[in-house]
Structures are given as C-alpha cells and as structure tokens.
Amino acid sequence: MDTIIELALQSGKQFQSSQTGFVHYNYQNPLKGTQDTIPVYENFLFALALLRSRIGDHIQEAKQLIKQLL
C-alpha cells in the first residue's frame, strides 16, 4: 500500500505548480507545460495522499493546501 501512496505523490508532484502549490491538470491537454486550471477534486485527492504518507512536511503541506481550497 505504501507504494501506491508514493506513486500518487510522484504523479501529483509532477503537475504541482511551484508558484501556486496547486496541482494543475487539464484533461484536454495533459502534456502541455502550462496549465491554467486548478481542479478541486484532484487537489483534494493529492492532499489526501500527502496526509496518508504520514511525513511531517507532507502533512503540513496538505493542511495548507486544504486550507487554500476551502
């Protein structure tokens, strides 16, 4: 199960913006470098994966992400 969480984190980090901290993913154009959308559902799932990792830095990042989304 830990490997699934690690894969989810790697995938989320791939689409995470260094400027906003949100996961930006556009289903119509998934390979383009610039993404403008901030999908709420995917960002909550990424925050859940961060929480499930049980690493202190990841938990703080997840709390900040959830706070911004709410």
Side-chain angles (χ1 to χ4, degrees):
M1 176 107 106
D2 290 330
T3 58
I4 293 172
I5 295 170
E6 291 170 8
L7 290 173
L9 290 175
Q10 288 175 0
S11 178
K13 292 281 185 187
Q14 180 181 1
F15 293 102
Q16 189 176 26
S17 169
S18 60
Q19 294 177 338
T20 64
F22 289 111
V23 173
H24 294 272
Y25 185 77
N26 185 351
Y27 289 101
Q28 286 76 23
N29 194 3
L31 299 178
K32 189 175 179 182
T34 59
Q35 306 290 338
D36 296 333
T37 62
I38 300 175
V40 176
Y41 181 70
E42 284 81 357
N43 277 283
F44 274 116
L45 290 177
F46 180 61
L48 178 63
L50 287 168
L51 289 172
R52 296 277 314 256
S53 71
R54 297 182 181 177
I55 297 174
D57 293 338
H58 289 174
I59 292 173
Q60 292 302 319
E61 183 180 355
K63 287 168 63 175
Q64 182 66 27
L65 185 62
I66 292 170
K67 182 178 179 182
Q68 290 175 336
L69 287 169
L70 293 176

PDB file of all heavy atoms in Angstrom, residues 12-31:
ATOM      1  N   GLY A  12       1.299  13.531  -8.453  1.00  0.00           N
ATOM      2  CA  GLY A  12       0.828  14.852  -8.060  1.00  0.00           C
ATOM      3  C   GLY A  12       1.912  15.904  -8.133  1.00  0.00           C
ATOM      4  O   GLY A  12       1.682  17.020  -8.594  1.00  0.00           O
ATOM      5  N   LYS A  13       3.108  15.560  -7.676  1.00  0.00           N
ATOM      6  CA  LYS A  13       4.236  16.499  -7.709  1.00  0.00           C
ATOM      7  C   LYS A  13       4.604  16.875  -9.141  1.00  0.00           C
ATOM      8  O   LYS A  13       5.070  17.974  -9.398  1.00  0.00           O
ATOM      9  CB  LYS A  13       5.462  15.907  -7.010  1.00  0.00           C
ATOM     10  CG  LYS A  13       5.305  15.732  -5.526  1.00  0.00           C
ATOM     11  CD  LYS A  13       5.489  17.028  -4.800  1.00  0.00           C
ATOM     12  CE  LYS A  13       5.452  16.780  -3.294  1.00  0.00           C
ATOM     13  NZ  LYS A  13       5.463  18.017  -2.552  1.00  0.00           N
ATOM     14  N   GLN A  14       4.367  15.968 -10.078  1.00  0.00           N
ATOM     15  CA  GLN A  14       4.679  16.223 -11.483  1.00  0.00           C
ATOM     16  C   GLN A  14       3.835  17.378 -12.029  1.00  0.00           C
ATOM     17  O   GLN A  14       4.311  18.164 -12.839  1.00  0.00           O
ATOM     18  CB  GLN A  14       4.429  14.968 -12.308  1.00  0.00           C
ATOM     19  CG  GLN A  14       4.728  15.119 -13.778  1.00  0.00           C
ATOM     20  CD  GLN A  14       4.425  13.839 -14.539  1.00  0.00           C
ATOM     21  OE1 GLN A  14       3.972  12.853 -13.971  1.00  0.00           O
ATOM     22  NE2 GLN A  14       4.665  13.865 -15.820  1.00  0.00           N
ATOM     23  N   PHE A  15       2.595  17.501 -11.575  1.00  0.00           N
ATOM     24  CA  PHE A  15       1.698  18.532 -12.065  1.00  0.00           C
ATOM     25  C   PHE A  15       1.519  19.688 -11.079  1.00  0.00           C
ATOM     26  O   PHE A  15       0.719  20.583 -11.311  1.00  0.00           O
ATOM     27  CB  PHE A  15       0.324  17.936 -12.395  1.00  0.00           C
ATOM     28  CG  PHE A  15       0.355  17.002 -13.562  1.00  0.00           C
ATOM     29  CD1 PHE A  15       0.331  15.634 -13.373  1.00  0.00           C
ATOM     30  CD2 PHE A  15       0.437  17.484 -14.851  1.00  0.00           C
ATOM     31  CE1 PHE A  15       0.365  14.766 -14.436  1.00  0.00           C
ATOM     32  CE2 PHE A  15       0.478  16.633 -15.938  1.00  0.00           C
ATOM     33  CZ  PHE A  15       0.440  15.265 -15.733  1.00  0.00           C
ATOM     34  N   GLN A  16       2.276  19.690  -9.981  1.00  0.00           N
ATOM     35  CA  GLN A  16       2.155  20.736  -8.970  1.00  0.00           C
ATOM     36  C   GLN A  16       2.941  21.968  -9.406  1.00  0.00           C
ATOM     37  O   GLN A  16       4.091  21.882  -9.822  1.00  0.00           O
ATOM     38  CB  GLN A  16       2.656  20.242  -7.622  1.00  0.00           C
ATOM     39  CG  GLN A  16       2.357  21.187  -6.484  1.00  0.00           C
ATOM     40  CD  GLN A  16       2.793  20.607  -5.155  1.00  0.00           C
ATOM     41  OE1 GLN A  16       3.692  19.776  -5.095  1.00  0.00           O
ATOM     42  NE2 GLN A  16       2.163  21.053  -4.093  1.00  0.00           N
ATOM     43  N   SER A  17       2.303  23.117  -9.295  1.00  0.00           N
ATOM     44  CA  SER A  17       2.936  24.372  -9.671  1.00  0.00           C
ATOM     45  C   SER A  17       3.832  24.868  -8.540  1.00  0.00           C
ATOM     46  O   SER A  17       3.440  24.845  -7.375  1.00  0.00           O
ATOM     47  CB  SER A  17       1.862  25.424  -9.975  1.00  0.00           C
ATOM     48  OG  SER A  17       2.440  26.702 -10.100  1.00  0.00           O
ATOM     49  N   SER A  18       5.007  25.344  -8.893  1.00  0.00           N
ATOM     50  CA  SER A  18       5.895  25.902  -7.874  1.00  0.00           C
ATOM     51  C   SER A  18       5.413  27.274  -7.422  1.00  0.00           C
ATOM     52  O   SER A  18       5.743  27.717  -6.327  1.00  0.00           O
ATOM     53  CB  SER A  18       7.320  26.001  -8.418  1.00  0.00           C
ATOM     54  OG  SER A  18       7.347  26.845  -9.562  1.00  0.00           O
ATOM     55  N   GLN A  19       4.618  27.957  -8.250  1.00  0.00           N
ATOM     56  CA  GLN A  19       4.108  29.279  -7.897  1.00  0.00           C
ATOM     57  C   GLN A  19       2.898  29.205  -6.977  1.00  0.00           C
ATOM     58  O   GLN A  19       2.819  29.933  -5.996  1.00  0.00           O
ATOM     59  CB  GLN A  19       3.736  30.060  -9.157  1.00  0.00           C
ATOM     60  CG  GLN A  19       4.923  30.405 -10.014  1.00  0.00           C
ATOM     61  CD  GLN A  19       4.499  31.118 -11.295  1.00  0.00           C
ATOM     62  OE1 GLN A  19       3.359  31.000 -11.717  1.00  0.00           O
ATOM     63  NE2 GLN A  19       5.424  31.840 -11.876  1.00  0.00           N
ATOM     64  N   THR A  20       1.934  28.353  -7.298  1.00  0.00           N
ATOM     65  CA  THR A  20       0.686  28.316  -6.532  1.00  0.00           C
ATOM     66  C   THR A  20       0.644  27.201  -5.505  1.00  0.00           C
ATOM     67  O   THR A  20      -0.083  27.298  -4.528  1.00  0.00           O
ATOM     68  CB  THR A  20      -0.519  28.147  -7.472  1.00  0.00           C
ATOM     69  OG1 THR A  20      -0.433  26.877  -8.119  1.00  0.00           O
ATOM     70  CG2 THR A  20      -0.593  29.254  -8.494  1.00  0.00           C
ATOM     71  N   GLY A  21       1.360  26.121  -5.741  1.00  0.00           N
ATOM     72  CA  GLY A  21       1.306  24.966  -4.853  1.00  0.00           C
ATOM     73  C   GLY A  21       0.167  24.027  -5.176  1.00  0.00           C
ATOM     74  O   GLY A  21       0.049  22.957  -4.585  1.00  0.00           O
ATOM     75  N   PHE A  22      -0.696  24.411  -6.116  1.00  0.00           N
ATOM     76  CA  PHE A  22      -1.813  23.573  -6.515  1.00  0.00           C
ATOM     77  C   PHE A  22      -1.409  22.617  -7.628  1.00  0.00           C
ATOM     78  O   PHE A  22      -0.470  22.890  -8.385  1.00  0.00           O
ATOM     79  CB  PHE A  22      -2.985  24.420  -7.026  1.00  0.00           C
ATOM     80  CG  PHE A  22      -3.696  25.190  -5.958  1.00  0.00           C
ATOM     81  CD1 PHE A  22      -3.610  26.560  -5.904  1.00  0.00           C
ATOM     82  CD2 PHE A  22      -4.467  24.541  -5.012  1.00  0.00           C
ATOM     83  CE1 PHE A  22      -4.267  27.270  -4.931  1.00  0.00           C
ATOM     84  CE2 PHE A  22      -5.130  25.242  -4.033  1.00  0.00           C
ATOM     85  CZ  PHE A  22      -5.027  26.617  -3.989  1.00  0.00           C
ATOM     86  N   VAL A  23      -2.132  21.526  -7.727  1.00  0.00           N
ATOM     87  CA  VAL A  23      -1.972  20.609  -8.845  1.00  0.00           C
ATOM     88  C   VAL A  23      -2.757  21.205 -10.008  1.00  0.00           C
ATOM     89  O   VAL A  23      -3.948  21.482  -9.882  1.00  0.00           O
ATOM     90  CB  VAL A  23      -2.507  19.203  -8.501  1.00  0.00           C
ATOM     91  CG1 VAL A  23      -2.504  18.307  -9.718  1.00  0.00           C
ATOM     92  CG2 VAL A  23      -1.673  18.586  -7.391  1.00  0.00           C
ATOM     93  N   HIS A  24      -2.079  21.447 -11.114  1.00  0.00           N
ATOM     94  CA  HIS A  24      -2.722  21.984 -12.312  1.00  0.00           C
ATOM     95  C   HIS A  24      -2.734  20.880 -13.361  1.00  0.00           C
ATOM     96  O   HIS A  24      -1.684  20.397 -13.770  1.00  0.00           O
ATOM     97  CB  HIS A  24      -1.940  23.184 -12.857  1.00  0.00           C
ATOM     98  CG  HIS A  24      -1.955  24.358 -11.938  1.00  0.00           C
ATOM     99  ND1 HIS A  24      -2.931  25.316 -11.971  1.00  0.00           N
ATOM    100  CD2 HIS A  24      -1.109  24.725 -10.946  1.00  0.00           C
ATOM    101  CE1 HIS A  24      -2.688  26.229 -11.050  1.00  0.00           C
ATOM    102  NE2 HIS A  24      -1.590  25.885 -10.415  1.00  0.00           N
ATOM    103  N   TYR A  25      -3.935  20.495 -13.786  1.00  0.00           N
ATOM    104  CA  TYR A  25      -4.039  19.438 -14.783  1.00  0.00           C
ATOM    105  C   TYR A  25      -5.227  19.739 -15.684  1.00  0.00           C
ATOM    106  O   TYR A  25      -6.331  20.002 -15.207  1.00  0.00           O
ATOM    107  CB  TYR A  25      -4.237  18.072 -14.123  1.00  0.00           C
ATOM    108  CG  TYR A  25      -4.221  16.923 -15.101  1.00  0.00           C
ATOM    109  CD1 TYR A  25      -3.022  16.464 -15.612  1.00  0.00           C
ATOM    110  CD2 TYR A  25      -5.395  16.335 -15.531  1.00  0.00           C
ATOM    111  CE1 TYR A  25      -2.990  15.423 -16.519  1.00  0.00           C
ATOM    112  CE2 TYR A  25      -5.376  15.291 -16.435  1.00  0.00           C
ATOM    113  CZ  TYR A  25      -4.170  14.846 -16.939  1.00  0.00           C
ATOM    114  OH  TYR A  25      -4.151  13.826 -17.842  1.00  0.00           O
ATOM    115  N   ASN A  26      -4.982  19.731 -16.974  1.00  0.00           N
ATOM    116  CA  ASN A  26      -6.028  19.980 -17.959  1.00  0.00           C
ATOM    117  C   ASN A  26      -6.242  18.696 -18.742  1.00  0.00           C
ATOM    118  O   ASN A  26      -5.350  18.235 -19.444  1.00  0.00           O
ATOM    119  CB  ASN A  26      -5.607  21.119 -18.883  1.00  0.00           C
ATOM    120  CG  ASN A  26      -6.681  21.518 -19.860  1.00  0.00           C
ATOM    121  OD1 ASN A  26      -7.696  20.855 -19.985  1.00  0.00           O
ATOM    122  ND2 ASN A  26      -6.456  22.619 -20.543  1.00  0.00           N
ATOM    123  N   TYR A  27      -7.432  18.113 -18.631  1.00  0.00           N
ATOM    124  CA  TYR A  27      -7.715  16.841 -19.280  1.00  0.00           C
ATOM    125  C   TYR A  27      -7.667  16.927 -20.798  1.00  0.00           C
ATOM    126  O   TYR A  27      -7.372  15.957 -21.469  1.00  0.00           O
ATOM    127  CB  TYR A  27      -9.079  16.302 -18.842  1.00  0.00           C
ATOM    128  CG  TYR A  27      -9.085  15.817 -17.426  1.00  0.00           C
ATOM    129  CD1 TYR A  27      -9.618  16.593 -16.408  1.00  0.00           C
ATOM    130  CD2 TYR A  27      -8.527  14.593 -17.088  1.00  0.00           C
ATOM    131  CE1 TYR A  27      -9.610  16.152 -15.107  1.00  0.00           C
ATOM    132  CE2 TYR A  27      -8.509  14.144 -15.789  1.00  0.00           C
ATOM    133  CZ  TYR A  27      -9.058  14.923 -14.807  1.00  0.00           C
ATOM    134  OH  TYR A  27      -9.042  14.490 -13.515  1.00  0.00           O
ATOM    135  N   GLN A  28      -7.962  18.103 -21.356  1.00  0.00           N
ATOM    136  CA  GLN A  28      -7.942  18.249 -22.803  1.00  0.00           C
ATOM    137  C   GLN A  28      -6.518  18.270 -23.350  1.00  0.00           C
ATOM    138  O   GLN A  28      -6.291  17.917 -24.492  1.00  0.00           O
ATOM    139  CB  GLN A  28      -8.675  19.530 -23.239  1.00  0.00           C
ATOM    140  CG  GLN A  28     -10.178  19.440 -23.120  1.00  0.00           C
ATOM    141  CD  GLN A  28     -10.663  19.566 -21.684  1.00  0.00           C
ATOM    142  OE1 GLN A  28      -9.966  20.115 -20.846  1.00  0.00           O
ATOM    143  NE2 GLN A  28     -11.847  19.051 -21.406  1.00  0.00           N
ATOM    144  N   ASN A  29      -5.559  18.712 -22.549  1.00  0.00           N
ATOM    145  CA  ASN A  29      -4.180  18.805 -22.999  1.00  0.00           C
ATOM    146  C   ASN A  29      -3.240  18.430 -21.853  1.00  0.00           C
ATOM    147  O   ASN A  29      -2.598  19.291 -21.261  1.00  0.00           O
ATOM    148  CB  ASN A  29      -3.887  20.227 -23.494  1.00  0.00           C
ATOM    149  CG  ASN A  29      -2.599  20.294 -24.283  1.00  0.00           C
ATOM    150  OD1 ASN A  29      -1.953  19.285 -24.519  1.00  0.00           O
ATOM    151  ND2 ASN A  29      -2.212  21.482 -24.670  1.00  0.00           N
ATOM    152  N   PRO A  30      -3.126  17.134 -21.509  1.00  0.00           N
ATOM    153  CA  PRO A  30      -2.379  16.732 -20.314  1.00  0.00           C
ATOM    154  C   PRO A  30      -0.861  16.891 -20.416  1.00  0.00           C
ATOM    155  O   PRO A  30      -0.187  16.906 -19.405  1.00  0.00           O
ATOM    156  CB  PRO A  30      -2.745  15.259 -20.149  1.00  0.00           C
ATOM    157  CG  PRO A  30      -3.108  14.811 -21.517  1.00  0.00           C
ATOM    158  CD  PRO A  30      -3.728  16.011 -22.192  1.00  0.00           C
ATOM    159  N   LEU A  31      -0.307  17.037 -21.608  1.00  0.00           N
ATOM    160  CA  LEU A  31       1.145  17.085 -21.749  1.00  0.00           C
ATOM    161  C   LEU A  31       1.693  18.492 -21.904  1.00  0.00           C
ATOM    162  O   LEU A  31       2.894  18.690 -21.875  1.00  0.00           O
ATOM    163  CB  LEU A  31       1.578  16.234 -22.956  1.00  0.00           C
ATOM    164  CG  LEU A  31       1.210  14.752 -22.859  1.00  0.00           C
ATOM    165  CD1 LEU A  31       1.652  14.023 -24.121  1.00  0.00           C
ATOM    166  CD2 LEU A  31       1.832  14.111 -21.641  1.00  0.00           C
TER     167      LEU A  31
END
